[in-house]
Amino acid sequence: MARMFEMRRYLSNFEVSRVGHLLTDVLVVGSGIAGARAAIEASQHGDVILVTKAQAADSATGSAQGGIAEPSGSGDTPDNHVNDTLRVGSGLNATAAVRYMVEQAEARIEELIRWGASFDQEDSVAHRTREAGHSVRRVIHADGDSTGKELARTLITRLHQQERVRLFENCYVIDLITMAGQCVGAVTYHAKYGHQMIWAKQTILASGGCGQLYRETTNPSVATGDGLAAAYRAGAVLGDLEMVQFHPTTLYIAGSSRALISEAVRGEGAHLVDRAGERFMPAYHPDAELAPRDVVSRAIRSHLKDKGGNCVYLDARMFGKGVFEARFPRITRICAEFGIDVSRELIPVNPGAHYMLGGVVTDLACRTNIDGLLACGEAACVGIHGANRLASNSLLEGLVFGAVAGETAGNNLATTEQLGPSLNIGSLNPSSDRTVLDVGDVRTSLRSVMWRNIGVVRTGHRLRETVEIMEFWGRFVLDKTFDQPSGWELQNMLGLARLVAQAAQLRDHSLGVHFREDSEANNGPSEPQHLLVVKSDDGPVYSWAPPCLKCPAESLP
Ligand SMILES: Cc1cc2nc3c(=O)[nH]c(=O)nc-3n(C[C@H](O)[C@H](O)[C@H](O)COP(=O)(O)OP(=O)(O)OC[C@H]3O[C@@H](n4cnc5c(N)ncnc54)[C@H](O)[C@@H]3O)c2cc1C
């Protein structure tokens, strides 16, 4: 039955001769920081279509709060930033990629400022905050805690100014099209235009992460991992899918969506306390509230187990009225919506899935193992974060490697043939109408299982059980052919959940954010390895690979 997943090369059936066809040089999937930056760069070389499944600003990028790491402040150096990133990454980082990103940071941020971005200032220089794992104050931010909104606004405005970019909103990528091992575009769905095939010489996947796999998550509703699942079906190598970062402080209010309470709040001095009002982090780690995110998340879980309660609390009362609001206006507003006055009351928080460290494996030029397919941002695994992500490095990764992907795609145009509408894209699907399906119900159950079984702490038997559950659900979800994004999203989430569970099972030792309760500490291989997966007719094929396998510095465009 596991083969049900592998039988699905394409999720939708459509008649190639009857759907609309569009041709472009470069197709970009996703309008977050990585996709937007990639499209701007690629448009210097050719025509670009950027498709995004909701509004352009609906992305993890748009929700980012804390800021973006940039090492040109006083007392800091690029070397410091590289070292902090490597230290947190537990030996799995691609050092050349980290160095490249850090060295590009200042120029890329200055470019954003020239394009109209505005960062918060103090005494006429950018104000820098400190977040967990950073040895110095290095994180610049906008409108206090609305950095992502400002970055998205700047990049989307810039996108609209590019004559060679066409931006299609509410356009859902169902699948990547491959012919003879080459990616030649994507099959999309738009409520008004139906199915379309967008044929491109180069396709850049910048579709973000998959936090929606989890019941507790900071991620926006668009983060269902569609791009990762589509890339897997198309034959791309994915890596380190078990590496999910959990953020320790997600607003915990029954029935509401889980809003992030930025790490910068702890960075500026707020404490975590339990329901008795006792501060507990100093007992777990010398850096207390500023310990790495996985440490704080596990400490919260462990403390709740010992002392009881459903959540812990963030105590930000010491800031006093006005001060907190000025520094964190968005968080103040979010809390106020639930009647919480942060100057007088505690903020209930719990961990939630925040960031997918794994993704489509790329080299430093953002190339994947499939010709014509590039990946960048959270959807990619170029090796920046290793096994644990330093806070505020992911916006920087998207910005820097988005530009790299756009440039690589542009450089490749001259040597890539434009393939057009073809009746020969390979087999479509078997389809069965066995059982009526409540898509919403399966989705909710999937997210609950993922949270219970593959959350902050993992054990072998729970992981095995999860793989079995996903394979069982796969029998009656993957045999359907849906005609709406909600169905395709569910199929993507299910396929990806199975891969995350299998990878977490195979990595039977703790490393970085992946914590196995049933394994002794430090019992993994002395040199940490990537866990790669690729599709075969018989099921996913897993293999181990050393860090930097695909990251020779000379692969930069
Ligand atoms: C609440 C929150 C706060 C954060 N704060 C910070 C921070 O302060 N600093 C930091 O560095 N990082 C932060 N992060 C992480 C960071 O925001 C993300 O890792 C980063 O923005 C990812 O950028 P991206 O361009 O790769 O993906 P995204 O910004 O997620 O963009 C993905 C895009 O792909 C589109 N898409 C997805 N599937 C499809 C499909 N099937 N068809 C068409 N389009 C599709 C989406 O609609 C979206 O436009 C935060 C994340 C969250 C959720």
Side-chain angles (χ1 to χ4, degrees), residues 182-501:
Q182 187 189 335
C183 182
V184 292
V187 185
T188 63
Y189 174 82
H190 188 286
K192 188 163 164 203
Y193 306 109
H195 281 89
Q196 290 184 308
M197 296 179 83
I198 304 181
W199 299 86
K201 291 181 178 177
Q202 298 281 304
T203 300
I204 301 176
L205 196 64
S207 50
C210 54
Q212 285 294 324
L213 289 183
Y214 287 89
R215 193 191 73 201
E216 304 297 327
T217 181
T218 62
N219 282 199
S221 59
V222 290
T224 51
D226 303 329
L228 300 177
Y232 175 75
R233 285 192 296 276
V237 175
L238 272 55
D240 299 337
L241 293 177
E242 71 285 11
M243 296 286 177
V244 178
Q245 184 174 59
F246 294 87
H247 198 291
T249 53
T250 309
L251 183 64
Y252 187 73
I253 293 183
S256 80
S257 66
R258 303 292 189 237
L260 177 75
I261 307 294
S262 169
E263 190 152 293
V265 174
R266 279 171 288 134
E268 297 293 343
H271 294 153
L272 279 168
V273 298
D274 59 20
R275 63 181 174 178
E278 298 293 331
R279 191 176 170 204
F280 57 90
M281 273 314 297
Y284 286 89
H285 195 277
D287 290 341
E289 280 81 2
L290 285 183
R293 287 176 179 179
D294 58 308
V295 174
V296 182
S297 294
R298 281 199 301 278
I300 292 174
R301 187 181 175 277
S302 169
H303 199 75
L304 287 173
K305 220 168 155 189
D306 287 353
K307 304 280 178 187
N310 293 325
C311 63
V312 295
Y313 300 87
L314 208 45
D315 186 353
R317 292 173 298 183
M318 67 285 280
F319 290 99
K321 205 163 178 69
V323 178
F324 187 91
E325 188 172 355
R327 175 66 182 86
F328 301 110
R330 182 171 176 167
I331 295 172
T332 306
R333 263 196 315 277
I334 293 169
C335 290
E337 277 169 26
F338 297 100
I340 301 169
D341 175 350
V342 292
S343 66
R344 292 189 300 111
E345 289 163 294
L346 301 175
I347 308 170
V349 291
N350 242 348
H354 187 54
Y355 184 84
M356 171 45 98
L357 287 105
V360 181
V361 173
T362 72
D363 66 7
L364 273 185
C366 300
R367 291 179 293 229
T368 70
N369 62 310
I370 300 179
D371 273 354
L373 179 66
L374 306 163
C376 55
E378 192 169 337
C381 180
V382 64
I384 291 292
H385 311 293
N388 203 345
R389 179 180 73 102
L390 188 67
S392 292
N393 262 356
S394 44
L395 287 173
L396 183 59
E397 177 189 4
L399 187 66
V400 169
F401 283 95
V404 170
E407 191 177 350
T408 303
N411 291 343
N412 287 348
L413 289 179
T415 51
T416 320
E417 195 190 341
Q418 172 81 72
L419 296 176
S422 166
L423 295 177
N424 186 24
I425 62 163
S427 63
L428 293 178
N429 305 300
S431 181
S432 131
D433 53 9
R434 196 164 53 96
T435 71
V436 177
L437 199 65
D438 183 337
V439 168
D441 190 35
V442 183
R443 184 175 170 134
T444 305
S445 305
L446 179 154
R447 300 177 72 209
S448 294
V449 169
M450 290 296 284
W451 179 244
R452 258 197 331 269
N453 290 2
I454 321 187
V456 176
V457 169
R458 291 127 185 231
T459 53
H461 69 278
R462 287 289 186 101
L463 297 171
R464 244 186 335 273
E465 182 188 301
T466 311
V467 174
E468 283 166 17
I469 293 172
M470 297 306 157
E471 288 184 343
F472 176 71
W473 287 342
R475 291 188 207 175
F476 54 91
V477 175
L478 267 294
D479 69 342
K480 307 276 181 304
T481 298
F482 293 102
D483 56 6
Q484 289 296 318
S486 58
W488 300 316
E489 279 182 355
L490 177 64
Q491 290 176 322
N492 286 330
M493 290 168 75
L494 200 50
L496 204 52
R498 180 184 69 138
L499 296 179
V500 173

Side-chain angles (χ1 to χ4, degrees), residues 521-537:
N522 304 322
N523 76 341
S526 53
E527 155 123 315
Q529 304 228 308
H530 291 295
L531 179 52
L532 309 182
V533 62
V534 69
K535 181 177 167 229
S536 84
D537 288 347

